[in-house]
Amino acid sequence: MKALIALILLVQLPIHKAVPAAPPAPLGCDDPESEAAAEVAVNYINGHSHHGYKFALNRIEDVRVVPQGPNNDIIFLELDLLETKCPILSPTPLANCTVRSFTEHAVEGDCDVKLQKLDGTISVLASKCHSHADSSEDISKVCPDCPLLASLNNTEVLETVSAALNDFNSQTTGPYLRLLEIGRGKIQYHPAHIVAVEFAVGATNCSAEEAKVNVGACQLLPEDQSNFGFCMGTMVKLPTQSLEVDCKLYGHQPGVTYVNAGQDTSAGLPPSAVGFRNHDLRLSYHNPLASESSSSEMFRSMLSAKPVAKRAVAEAAQHDKVPRPVGFVPPPPPCPGKIRHFDI
């Protein structure tokens, strides 16, 4: 009898079924984890770029996390960057670099980055970037007389760079400087005709006096002694004529190199200085430690995620039409994130 009663009680006991764990909430673009990954990505991009200027994060456009196993995630980021005033060769930390203002003719960078977070450590597996200057029309609407970016092979830009560097070398008591790359050229026509240029330079093994005798013998210092710098020159053509130039050497920076330095031409401009597309970030990298298949699928995966993100935004907008209790504040969308500087 006791056994029968125990069996009846057992049958009557409630059965608790295992409830599967809810999937983790999608990572938002402004979440600390996303910002930490973006910081690693931006530092990586600047560290692997060899031309132009350093870029700063403006906005995290999208983020996706694909779990790979315990403490192992793959992170896909879409980043909006803005050009700073710091040349890529400058030792100034990115945190201290000023983002160019809108009226200085801003340049925007768009990057897709694939990262891995393994045991709390974030590393970049692959990245692809391109950049473009804001349209001249947008600048002119806000500031009709602001100087606009000119092509790096513009005749007036080349003329000003050559004149500025020759003028500096003729007056310096330091090493003879050789042009590495033209970074920017801007031309203003009203109320005065002004050409402003920015360009990277490298110290050679000649003094300025020695270069006057045989400039062809002057070569950039070897890597273990390299000394790079940056110059800014301004040529006023009308209503009067004047030329101003200021060059600053950074001092030797171990491990910092400049690729494709080229040889001086008769015009004083190395071919590499004007051979690149204007203001192009031009960065594409695949970590050799990452699998080839995962790298080739990176951008297809990111593109396939975009319609899903757009659909989620549309669904959220539809839900917002449903009456909400008084005082209800809907949560912010997970992406895109906040704009840190300004929108182009």
Side-chain angles (χ1 to χ4, degrees):
M1 180 61 70
K2 290 182 179 180
L4 180 60
I5 294 173
L7 180 61
I8 294 173
L9 292 175
L10 180 63
V11 171
Q12 291 178 342
L13 288 175
I15 299 177
H16 297 282
K17 295 182 179 180
V19 179
L27 197 61
C29 282
D30 291 332
D31 289 350
E33 296 89 339
S34 301
E35 294 187 341
E39 182 179 4
V40 171
V42 173
N43 288 336
Y44 175 89
I45 290 166
N46 286 323
H48 285 76
S49 180
H50 298 288
H51 301 281
Y53 302 83
K54 297 180 183 181
F55 278 76
L57 179 65
N58 188 39
R59 190 183 206 183
I60 302 175
E61 295 285 349
D62 195 19
V63 57
R64 276 202 313 124
V65 179
V66 182
Q68 301 294 298
N71 298 318
N72 185 6
D73 293 327
I74 297 297
I75 304 172
F76 296 97
L77 289 178
E78 291 181 50
L79 303 178
D80 172 27
L81 312 180
L82 286 175
E83 184 187 80
T84 72
K85 295 183 180 182
C86 289
I88 205 68
L89 294 170
S90 170
T92 304
L94 180 61
N96 297 335
C97 293
T98 303
V99 170
R100 292 190 190 273
S101 67
F102 177 81
T103 53
E104 289 177 291
H105 211 152
V107 173
E108 180 182 33
D110 297 305
C111 295
D112 291 333
V113 189
K114 178 182 179 181
L115 308 97
Q116 182 178 34
K117 185 176 183 181
L118 181 62
D119 295 328
T121 300
I122 302 174
S123 58
V124 174
L125 299 181
S127 61
K128 187 174 184 179
C129 297
H130 70 275
S131 57
H132 62 277
D134 193 13
S135 70
S136 299
E137 290 77 11
D138 288 346
I139 304 297
S140 298
K141 288 177 183 177
V142 178
C143 182
D145 293 331
C146 281
L148 299 175
L149 284 173
S151 173
L152 297 182
N153 61 0
N154 177 282
T155 303
E156 290 189 283
V157 169
L158 297 179
E159 175 190 41
T160 303
V161 169
S162 183
L165 187 53
N166 287 337
D167 183 70
F168 183 85
N169 277 326
S170 68
Q171 300 184 50
T172 184
T173 56
Y176 176 79
L177 302 184
R178 207 175 90 185
L179 179 69
L180 299 179
E181 176 188 46
I182 301 174
R184 273 189 159 229
K186 292 197 298 183
I187 301 178
Q188 177 180 338
Y189 294 100
H190 303 286
H193 187 178
I194 302 173
V195 183
V197 294
E198 300 178 12
F199 52 96
V201 294
T204 68
N205 57 355
C206 296
S207 68
E209 284 297 319
E210 291 171 333
K212 293 177 182 179
V213 178
N214 185 11
V215 69
C218 301
Q219 301 296 322
L220 289 175
L221 294 173
E223 187 173 327
D224 60 347
Q225 303 173 35
S226 63
N227 189 358
F228 302 117
F230 201 69
C231 299
M232 302 180 72
T234 303
M235 178 182 285
V236 179
K237 293 192 167 185
L238 291 172
T240 59
Q241 292 188 358
S242 65
L243 177 65
E244 294 183 3
V245 59
D246 178 43
C247 294
K248 184 177 298 183
L249 288 173
Y250 299 132
H252 177 61
Q253 303 174 74
V256 176
T257 59
Y258 181 84
V259 297
N260 300 326
Q263 296 293 325
D264 282 316
T265 64
S266 58
L269 304 175
S272 61
V274 294
F276 297 112
R277 190 153 59 89
N278 204 15
H279 312 290
D280 188 359
L281 189 53
R282 302 185 310 276
L283 179 66
S284 182
Y285 176 80
H286 170 225
N287 189 322
L289 299 180
S291 69
E292 199 67 41
S293 60
S294 65
S295 175
S296 62
E297 294 174 359
M298 168 189 169
F299 302 108
R300 288 200 299 271
S301 300
M302 297 188 75
L303 290 174
S304 65
K306 290 180 182 180
V308 176
K310 291 180 179 178
R311 184 169 64 248
V313 172
E315 291 174 354
Q318 186 67 30
H319 291 324
D320 284 343
K321 297 178 182 179
V322 179
R324 301 291 189 183
V326 176
F328 173 81
V329 178
C335 285
K338 63 186 177 184
I339 295 175
R340 290 161 173 76
H341 301 284
F342 52 85
D343 192 18
I344 292 184

